[in-house]
Amino acid sequence: MNTVFDALVTEARMDFRSFLAEYGRVAALLYERTGDIAFRNVVLTDKSFTRWRAGQVARPHHPAPAVLERMYGKPVDELFAPCTDEQAQVLRAVPTPVLDERELAMTARDARAHAADAASQLLPDLSLDQLEDDLVRLVRANTTTPPHEIFMAAKELLGLATVMLDRTQLLSQRGRFFVVAGQASALLGACAFDLGSMSTAVELMRASALYGQVAEHGPLQAYAHGYLALLYYWGGNPAQAVRQIERAHSFRGVGATGQARLAAIAARSYAHLGRAEEAHAAIDRSLADRGPAVDDLHDGIAGEFDFSVERVAMSNSATLLLLRDGVGAEASARRSLELIASQSSASTPLAVAPQAGADLATALLMRRDLDGAAEAMRPVLSLPREWRGAGLVGRVSAVRAELASPSFRDALVARDLAEQIDDFTLVAVPRTLGPGAVRLAIDGGIS
C-alpha cells in the first residue's frame, strides 16, 4: 500500500541516507526548542524507513510523529494514510513556494542551529560568540521593538544558551553561557512586566540574579535585584523594595550608569514609604556626575540595560509625583522630554517619552492646568497598543485619577480626556492579557 509519506519521499527523490540526514536535522532543532531528550537520541533504521513507505506502520512511536509533522507540515495520521491517485497528482502539481525574507531568515537560523548541534561535542567559540552577539542585538532592539516580539526572541535565546551550556565542561565557556542566560532572563523579565505578568517577571528576575551569582557577575546581579525592587514596590511592598536595593548595592563592578539606575529605583522605593528626605537624597545621587566608571552590562551592552539621563529624569518625575511635589515633577518630566527631543539617535526607548508625558500631565493637573495636561497627553494617547505596557498604563491611570478631582467636575475638556484615557487603557497590553494580570503600584500606580 502506497502512503502519502511514500509519495512525498518519492517526489523529493530521497533515498534512505538523504532522508536520515534531514530527519536528524529536524530532530535536532526540535530538541533545541523543547529540551525533550527523545529528539536528541533519535534512531532510524533502513528497515523502519522501508516499512513506513510500505504502509506497514499505522503510527510510529515518539518522537517520530513530531519530527515527520515538522518535516512535511501534515498530521502524521495523514502521512501514513493510503495515497490516492488524486493525491499523487496534487503532490506532483504543487507549485514552487515563493520565499519571503522571513523564510530566508528562518532557514539561516535553522542552519546555524544545526551547525552548532553538529559541533556540540566541541562547542567552538564561534557558536558562543554568535549567541552573545545575538543577545546584544536583541537587548539593543528592545528600545524600538514591542515587548511581545522581544519576549519570543529572548525565549529562544535562553533555550539555546541552556542547551549549549549542558554540552561543555570548559569553565570559561560555562561562565559566558551563565552570563548570556542571565541577561536573557533579565530581558524576558522586563518584557513580562511590560506585558502585565508580575509573577512571571519576578520569577525571571530571580533566575537572572541566580545566573549572575553562579557567574559571579556583579553588574548582572545588581540589575536583577534592582528590577526586583521595582517589582516589589509595584506589588505593594516598598519595604522589601528597599531591602532589594540595599542588596543590589553590595555587588562589585557596577559602573556609574548602573549606580544611577539603582539610585533612581531607591528614590521611588523611599517615596512609596513616605520617606521624603531619603527619597530626595537618592534623587540627588541619581543626578550626580557619573564619572568614568563603566561596566559591560549597563554601558557595554546598553539598550534595555542602559539608564540614560532622560530615563533618570523620567523616573524621578514619578518619584516626585508620589511625594506630591508637582513643581519638581513637572520640571523633571520636561527635562526628560527636552533631552529626548534633542537627540537624533534611537537609543532612547520609545516608551520613555510617553511615560514622561503622562507624568507631565499629572503634574500640570496638580496645579489645575487642564489644557496643558490635555496637550501633554496628546502624543501619549496616540501610542500603538503594543507599546502600552504596564508602566505606562500606571502613569496614565494616575492622570485619570487627577481628572476625578472636584475642580474638573464640570469641565468638558476633562471629560473628553478621561474618556480617551479609558479607551486607551481598555486595549493596553496588560488588559489584553486578562483581568488581574498586574496590580498597579500604590498611590496612583507610578512605574
Side-chain angles (χ1 to χ4, degrees):
M1 177 186 66
N2 290 334
T3 61
V4 173
F5 170 73
D6 178 65
L8 289 167
V9 171
T10 301
E11 186 65 27
R13 298 179 181 178
M14 299 181 79
D15 57 14
F16 173 68
R17 179 175 295 182
S18 59
F19 177 85
L20 184 60
E22 180 63 10
Y23 187 84
R25 185 189 73 83
V26 172
L29 289 176
L30 289 173
Y31 173 65
E32 297 279 2
R33 295 175 182 178
T34 67
D36 188 343
I37 196 68
F39 293 117
R40 185 178 183 180
N41 300 321
V42 291
V43 176
L44 180 63
T45 64
D46 193 352
K47 181 178 179 180
S48 295
F49 178 65
T50 301
R51 293 180 67 221
W52 287 0
R53 297 189 66 175
Q56 297 174 4
V57 178
R59 182 181 180 89
H61 297 299
H62 178 74
V67 178
L68 293 171
E69 288 176 356
R70 174 65 185 265
M71 289 176 66
Y72 294 108
K74 297 179 181 292
V76 71
D77 292 335
E78 181 179 339
L79 288 172
F80 285 88
C83 183
T84 64
D85 292 339
E86 291 78 12
Q87 286 176 308
Q89 291 176 1
V90 169
L91 290 175
R92 287 193 292 270
V94 171
T96 302
V98 177
L99 298 178
D100 59 16
E101 187 173 351
R102 181 176 297 180
E103 181 68 10
L104 294 174
M106 182 179 298
T107 302
R109 286 197 301 271
D110 290 348
R112 192 182 73 216
H114 183 246
D117 184 72
S120 61
Q121 298 304 315
L122 299 175
L123 271 186
D125 284 338
L126 284 176
S127 297
L128 182 48
D129 292 343
Q130 183 65 57
L131 192 65
E132 290 173 330
D133 289 345
D134 288 347
L135 189 282
V136 170
R137 280 194 293 270
L138 192 59
V139 172
R140 292 174 179 172
N142 190 54
T143 61
T144 55
T145 307
H148 68 279
E149 294 183 20
I150 294 293
F151 187 93
M152 296 307 297
K155 178 182 176 182
E156 182 177 354
L157 275 181
L158 177 59
L160 285 172
T162 55
V163 168
M164 294 172 74
L165 177 61
D166 292 336
R167 296 178 178 174
T168 179
Q169 296 303 315
L170 192 63
L171 293 181
S172 61
Q173 287 191 335
R174 289 180 66 82
R176 290 170 66 185
F177 277 124
F178 281 129
V179 171
V180 170
Q183 292 167 348
S185 296
L187 185 57
L188 284 165
C191 291
F193 172 69
D194 284 334
L195 295 170
S197 183
M198 181 73 74
S199 60
T200 301
V202 170
E203 188 172 356
L204 285 164
M205 284 300 169
R206 286 173 176 165
S208 177
L210 287 173
Y211 280 125
Q213 181 178 355
V214 174
E216 298 182 328
H217 195 286
L220 178 58
Q221 293 179 83
Y223 178 88
H225 283 279
Y227 214 110
L228 282 170
L230 181 154
L231 295 172
Y232 275 119
Y233 68 61
W234 253 78
N237 192 349
Q240 179 64 17
V242 171
R243 287 191 287 272
Q244 287 293 328
I245 283 295
E246 292 172 350
R247 175 74 174 132
H249 277 299
S250 69
F251 300 112
R252 296 181 178 180
V254 181
T257 298
Q259 295 293 349
R261 174 179 176 270
L262 293 179
I265 297 174
R268 196 95 56 85
S269 303
Y270 290 130
H272 277 291
L273 289 168
R275 292 156 60 173
E277 184 175 345
E278 290 165 288
H280 280 292
I283 288 175
D284 290 342
R285 291 196 301 274
S286 74
L287 297 172
D289 182 10
R290 297 192 176 184
V294 297
D295 64 60
D296 61 358
L297 183 81
H298 300 91
D299 306 282
I301 297 180
E304 168 60 29
F305 301 137
D306 189 14
F307 210 74
S308 58
V309 288
E310 59 267 22
R311 291 180 77 172
V312 171
M314 177 268 290
S315 180
N316 288 341
S317 66
T319 298
L320 293 166
L321 286 175
L322 285 171
L323 299 174
R324 303 303 292 176
D325 180 1
V327 174
E330 179 181 347
S332 192
R334 289 191 186 280
R335 174 62 175 160
S336 179
L337 292 170
E338 289 168 358
L339 287 168
I340 294 170
S342 68
Q343 297 177 357
S344 58
S345 70
S347 60
T348 300
L350 292 178
V352 173
Q355 292 185 72
D359 284 352
L360 176 59
T362 302
L364 291 171
L365 289 174
M366 290 173 67
R367 63 178 177 85
R368 303 295 180 261
D369 184 355
L370 180 57
D371 291 335
E375 180 64 25
M377 286 297 292
R378 184 170 291 110
V380 178
L381 296 174
S382 65
L383 200 66
R385 181 177 66 180
E386 61 267 23
W387 284 102
R388 302 176 190 180
L392 179 59
V393 170
R395 283 172 146 91
V396 171
S397 296
V399 178
R400 181 68 173 83
E402 289 292 332
L403 290 170
S405 168
S407 302
F408 307 124
R409 183 173 301 159
D410 300 321
L412 180 60
V413 173
R415 287 200 300 272
D416 288 344
L417 183 56
E419 290 176 1
Q420 292 178 58
I421 289 174
D422 291 340
D423 292 340
F424 178 92
T425 56
L426 184 64
V427 293
V429 172
R431 293 291 297 274
T432 60
L433 290 182
V438 66
R439 176 177 177 232
L440 293 181
I442 56 177
D443 297 328
I446 305 298
S447 162

